[in-house]
């Protein structure tokens, strides 16, 4: 769902900047080319790119402006490749609670087509703390961030699902794009946006541009006393961060202004971070929130770290209304091929809840079509397609086969 993956901006790991006599460590382009095009996939507003690891194994990585160093989400993969770890670290929160163990691996080879990489350092999680594959319905093995963005201009064509990696000296801005300044602070890009509050005043907000967050907009109320939440809101589970589960509220904001663009009726998450590790992040970075994939995917986006700019061209879908979970269902993909779809959670007072669906139900059919013929992305898209869409489900509950019917309804 749209607020399920908050992003993995919570990692603090070391980057590597080193050089050999032959070429710099890190990413470099082969074949004397000035740009490289890479097809990508989109799952829950996240960009998933193919990465060849150690010149041996093709894997899938999320492209994430919110991370500093490459992350492998499960140690089984790096163990299989025979990668040696230089040290072990424990990730803990303010109270000293241990969340997970991670390892640092050095000297890795990572390649995206003709963009080759050598001598990378990476954080390797002991196990898939974020359960990304189950959330997204596709096997995801890692997260790729700053090391790629810092060297090149990154053109993200969400509509055609093409990533173009461009040498900074060869980049020419296409016509009709709007250029907006960004500030790259501690490897992460920030943009200034404005939000219209109830008295029609605009407040300026510092937003992390986070391609690794599926949410559209997340705001921390404590970041500015003028920020307020709409009286019509929903208590909700927003996702998972370094500090564990994140809960909060979901509501529509006033207009969001980014450069020359105005988005109306944006749905935002307002996390409850009063005592958590995550509240420190907002304070230390002096930011108001996060601008994520639900909004970014309404643009053709060019991220230009070398010139401290982001270039945007709006798509026709720019003006489409924002919806939040019209069914009330939260789904997970399970099984070896991620083709079994389980209901993980049913929100109260929603169409699915009123129809009688429960957490733990396995979906067998939806609207007459076998569940295994869907991807999780397709199923979630159908469940959030438009208000009044009729949904018919056949589910398995323990040993019983049951049928349900309901209509999608907006709650905000």
């Amino acid at each position: 769902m749209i607020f399920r993956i908050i992003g993995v901006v919570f990692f603090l790991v070391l980057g590597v900047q080193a050089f050999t006599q032959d070429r710099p460590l890190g990413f470099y382009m082969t074949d004397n080319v000035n740009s490289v095009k890479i097809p990508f996939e989109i799952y829950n507003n996240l960009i998933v790119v193919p990465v060849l690891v150690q010149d041996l194994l093709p894997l899938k990585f999320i492209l994430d402006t919110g991370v500093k160093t490459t992350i492998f989400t499960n140690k089984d993969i790096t163990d299989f490749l025979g990668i040696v770890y230089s040290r072990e670290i424990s990730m803990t929160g303010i109270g000293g609670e241990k969340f997970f163990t991670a390892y640092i691996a050095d000297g890795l080879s990572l390649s995206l087509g003709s963009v080759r990489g050598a001598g990378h350092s990476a954080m390797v999680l002991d196990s898939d703390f974020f359960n990304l594959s189950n959330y997204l319905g596709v096997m995801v093995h890692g997260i790729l961030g700053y090391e790629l963005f810092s060297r090149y201009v990154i053109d993200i064509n969400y509509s055609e699902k093409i990533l173009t990696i461009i040498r900074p000296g060869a980049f020419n801005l296409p016509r009709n794009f709007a250029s907006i300044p960004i500030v790259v602070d501690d490897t992460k890009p920030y943009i200034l946006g404005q939000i219209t509050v109830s008295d029609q005043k605009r407040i300026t907000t510092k937003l992390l541009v986070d391609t690794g967050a599926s949410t559209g907009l997340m705001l921390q109320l404590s970041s500015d006393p003028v920020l307020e939440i709409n009286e019509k809101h929903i208590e909700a589970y927003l996702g998972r961060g370094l500090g564990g589960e994140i809960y909060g509220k979901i509501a529509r904001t006033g207009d969001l202004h980014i450069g020359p663009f105005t988005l109306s009726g944006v749905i935002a998450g307002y996390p409850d971070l009063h005592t958590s590790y995550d509240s420190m992040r907002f304070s230390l970075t002096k930011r108001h929130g996060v601008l994520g994939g639900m909004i970014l995917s309404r643009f053709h986006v060019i991220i230009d770290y070398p010139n401290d700019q982001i270039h945007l061209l709006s798509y026709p879908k720019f003006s489409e209304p924002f919806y939040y979970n019209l069914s009330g269902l939260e789904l997970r993909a399970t099984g070896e091929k991620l083709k079994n779809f389980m209901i993980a959670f049913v929100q109260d007072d929603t169409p699915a809840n009123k129809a009688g669906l429960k957490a733990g139900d396995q979906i067998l059919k939806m609207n007459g079509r076998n569940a295994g013929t869907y991807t999780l992305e397709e199923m979630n898209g159908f469940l959030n397609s438009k208000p009044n869409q009729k949904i018919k489900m056949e589910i398995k509950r323990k040993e019983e086969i049951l049928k349900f019917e309901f209509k999608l309804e907006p709650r905000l």
Side-chain angles (χ1 to χ4, degrees), residues 323-338:
Y323 292 123
Y324 169 70
N325 200 336
L326 298 175
S327 67
L329 293 175
E330 305 285 354
L331 306 183
R332 298 290 181 274
T334 63
E336 184 178 350
K337 296 184 179 181
L338 298 172

Side-chain angles (χ1 to χ4, degrees), residues 82-102:
I83 290 171
V84 177
Y85 311 105
S86 59
R87 60 192 174 100
E88 176 182 327
I89 57 177
S90 294
M91 305 301 291
T92 59
I94 290 176
E97 178 187 357
K98 180 179 177 180
F99 294 118
F100 55 82
T101 299

Side-chain angles (χ1 to χ4, degrees), residues 132-147:
L132 289 174
S133 297
N134 300 110
Y135 284 128
L136 300 181
V138 64
M139 290 303 299
V140 174
H141 309 96
I143 302 160
L144 193 63
Y146 176 74
E147 292 160 322

Side-chain angles (χ1 to χ4, degrees), residues 46 167 249:
L46 303 181
R167 292 185 193 272
K249 299 173 178 64

